[in-house]
Amino acid sequence: MSGFVLAVRPEPGLAATMEAGKQLGLNMIGYPLFEVRPREWDCPDSSSFDAILIGSANAIRHGGDALSSITNKPVHAVGQTTAEAAQEAGFEIANVGTGGLQNVLDAVTKPTRFLRIAGEKHVPLTAPDGVEIVTRIAYESVPLELPEPLRALDQLGLTVLLHSAVAAERFDSETRRLALQRSRIKLAVLGPRIAEAAGTGWQSIHVSPAPNDTALLELVRETCI
């Protein structure tokens, strides 16, 4: 199989994507564009909210000791990976979304008071009538640079996997810094918002039919390589 597939998500997701891609026979390369680090945060009293809203498994991985005091509250998770991380940490799962955190929020029974545990950069949400959200920042993503040897790969057929809008913006910036030939690079992204954040000038942009790694990697195997 010709061409290379570059994954740029932070660990531990990077390793999982690399392994899944290799299982499909893809020529995988991994360079994280971010390192996720925990931040100190104050957890509200558990009596002040009814449930927890989580848009990334990083909220569980980096939430720290504060999480142990609120495992009695149900979690509404953006997707299956996030739900599994919360479940492993001792939480009950009330709802697992499939189309973004706003859809999860829109589907909840009202009234509901949420504690949202999020990263420093997070998707803005609109609370429906009868829903309250208190947000706490538990982690941050520190940007990293792509290595100089990556310059040669755009001559050999390169498809880049983008799992978030933040990653798309960062990759856009890094390709300009490295003077990569964008017209030779294909992008495979998890959703339309990520495609929009990636900018223009690419050879092509392919949007996954479902917001998960399996669908994204199968899309790459079928259409990009």
Side-chain angles (χ1 to χ4, degrees):
M1 179 174 290
S2 61
F4 292 90
V5 179
L6 173 64
V8 295
R9 65 189 308 197
E11 295 289 5
L14 178 61
T17 296
M18 292 285 291
E19 180 59 29
K22 290 175 182 177
Q23 291 293 326
L24 290 176
L26 302 176
N27 296 324
M28 300 295 300
I29 305 168
Y31 293 114
L33 277 176
F34 296 93
E35 179 183 354
V36 181
R37 299 175 184 172
R39 283 179 45 165
E40 291 188 11
W41 64 289
D42 295 322
C43 184
D45 187 280
S46 62
S47 64
S48 66
F49 59 93
D50 307 307
I52 302 169
L53 189 65
I54 298 180
S56 169
N58 285 322
I60 300 297
R61 296 181 185 124
H62 302 281
D65 295 339
L67 296 179
S68 61
S69 66
I70 55 174
T71 53
N72 61 323
K73 299 295 184 178
V75 165
H76 295 249
V78 69
Q80 190 60 42
T81 300
T82 302
E84 289 173 359
Q87 200 164 31
E88 289 174 5
F91 290 92
E92 288 189 13
I93 307 303
N95 186 24
V96 181
T98 57
L101 204 56
Q102 185 65 54
N103 288 349
V104 174
L105 194 62
D106 292 340
V108 303
T109 302
K110 287 80 169 178
T112 300
R113 299 170 301 168
F114 276 110
L115 168 63
R116 182 185 185 185
I117 306 175
E120 181 182 25
K121 293 184 178 180
H122 51 273
V123 176
L125 298 174
T126 301
D129 291 340
V131 173
E132 299 177 15
I133 305 173
V134 172
T135 302
R136 291 292 186 270
I137 306 304
Y139 64 93
E140 62 184 348
S141 296
V142 179
L144 305 174
E145 291 186 347
L146 291 172
E148 292 290 330
L150 192 64
R151 291 177 187 271
L153 291 181
D154 65 359
Q155 304 294 322
L156 302 175
L158 181 64
T159 299
V160 181
L161 307 178
L162 296 175
H163 289 75
S164 69
V166 173
E169 292 169 357
R170 180 64 179 169
F171 186 71
D172 178 22
S173 174
E174 281 294 279
T175 57
R176 298 179 191 280
R177 182 182 66 84
L178 292 173
L180 299 181
Q181 297 188 48
R182 297 159 70 94
S183 62
R184 293 177 175 268
I185 298 173
K186 302 174 185 177
L187 302 183
V189 305
L190 275 187
R193 192 174 72 88
I194 302 172
E196 183 177 351
T200 60
W202 309 103
Q203 180 177 333
S204 58
I205 301 179
H206 302 266
V207 179
S208 176
N212 61 69
D213 238 14
T214 299
L216 182 65
L217 290 166
E218 288 178 350
L219 170 72
V220 170
R221 183 177 63 174
E222 294 169 5
T223 64
C224 297
I225 303 299

